[in-house]
Amino acid sequence: MDLFAKLPALRGELLLCRGCLAPASHGEAGLCSRCWEGLVPLPEDRCPRCALEHGEDRDCPEPTAWSLGTALWDYHGGRPPFGELLLPGIKAGERGWMRALLHRAEEVPLPEWDADLIVPAPTTPWRRLRRGFDLADAFARVLAVRLGTPRATVLRKTWRATSQTGRPESQRRRMPKKAVLLKGEVRAKRILLVDDVWTTGTTLLRCAQALQSGGAKEIRVLTLFRALRNS
Ligand SMILES: [Zn+2]
Ligand SMILES: [Zn+2]
């Protein structure tokens, strides 16, 4: 029998991975297991403050206002780079991917940090409205359950930036000091500041500065992804 005659039947059985377009028999949320393996931790020898690899003997060149910072996964991990696929997809409303990602965030090892409050980096209200969800806050909820620590949405973003993707580094770093305002009590508290993806760190910096202005005792940063180089 001619192979071509069988093709329509074959096509009906094959599911293609939405990440790498390879046939996917195992996986989750339309992505094959090989793609999910791209969810990899950050390399070991990185700076404990900015989570970049800039050598141990150099002072951290990144502008930070926190003592320690890390992420669960490397944004550029895997082939195709999985964070680069997943995050824009989730932000475009791919709820299945978000659920699958948060499910993994419920199980991966976390840094052994004590905190009094978990504070998500804020998004602008219009953006939350448009997307119908807030990934940073969803991650904060996961952490609140895992760590048994209260979550507090004490930050408000006032600055309406257009998407940071595709903008030059110099522009991304330009964000007014009052872009993030504190609207809650953080005095003498140890804060775990969380966000979805940490790229230039400008939003995190403004968040941390707002927390500092309110007298936070200690600030540490944990994000889902760290972009280890500019892309
Ligand atoms: Zn795949
Ligand atoms: Zn550093």
Side-chain angles (χ1 to χ4, degrees):
M1 188 170 161
D2 187 331
L3 178 67
F4 284 97
K6 289 183 184 167
L7 270 178
L10 272 174
R11 218 181 293 141
E13 284 167 29
L14 279 181
L15 279 173
L16 295 188
C17 169
R18 291 173 58 204
C20 65
L21 304 180
S25 48
H26 300 287
E28 197 181 346
L31 297 163
C32 73
S33 46
R34 207 184 62 97
C35 272
W36 279 108
E37 282 165 19
L39 218 44
V40 291
L42 299 181
E44 290 283 325
D45 51 349
R46 65 201 192 280
C47 171
R49 187 186 289 257
C50 73
L52 295 177
E53 295 172 285
H54 56 66
E56 273 176 34
D57 40 332
R58 273 183 64 196
D59 285 339
C60 183
E62 292 292 306
T64 53
W66 49 85
S67 53
L68 294 170
T70 191
L72 299 186
W73 300 296
D74 181 354
Y75 189 68
H76 306 287
R79 202 154 295 273
F82 200 49
E84 284 179 33
L85 168 77
L86 219 56
L87 248 291
I90 289 173
K91 291 189 173 182
E94 180 40 86
R95 298 298 185 92
W97 290 6
M98 181 170 81
R99 277 192 296 272
L101 185 72
L102 290 173
H103 180 64
R104 280 162 173 79
E106 286 166 6
E107 293 176 345
V108 291
L110 297 175
E112 291 178 13
W113 295 342
D114 291 324
D116 303 310
L117 272 187
I118 297 172
V119 175
T123 187
T124 48
W126 71 273
R127 189 171 287 172
R128 184 196 287 248
L129 207 66
R130 200 184 53 184
R131 287 186 189 147
F133 68 91
D134 177 346
L135 185 58
D137 191 38
F139 179 39
R141 287 169 192 270
V142 167
L143 292 172
V145 171
R146 286 195 64 178
L147 303 172
T149 303
R151 161 188 145 273
T153 51
V154 294
L155 297 173
R156 176 179 291 150
K157 198 166 191 174
T158 58
W159 191 59
R160 201 174 120 165
T162 45
S163 174
Q164 300 233 327
T165 339
R167 300 176 98 207
E169 172 92 13
S170 56
Q171 275 184 35
R172 291 197 212 175
R173 289 195 187 266
R174 219 177 294 143
M175 186 188 274
K177 199 120 190 186
K178 292 277 174 220
V180 177
L181 296 177
L182 182 67
K183 58 183 181 93
E185 186 53 57
V186 295
R187 187 160 302 280
K189 297 237 189 308
R190 295 167 304 168
I191 308 290
L192 181 58
L193 175 62
V194 308
D195 205 355
D196 46 14
V197 60
W198 172 2
T199 307
T200 60
T202 309
T203 302
L204 287 168
L205 182 63
R206 293 292 177 252
C207 290
Q209 287 166 337
L211 292 165
Q212 277 178 337
S213 74
K217 187 167 92 182
E218 182 184 74
I219 302 163
R220 290 173 176 181
V221 166
L222 180 63
T223 63
L224 287 168
F225 289 98
R226 176 66 162 124
L228 295 176
R229 49 189 178 272
N230 298 313
S231 61

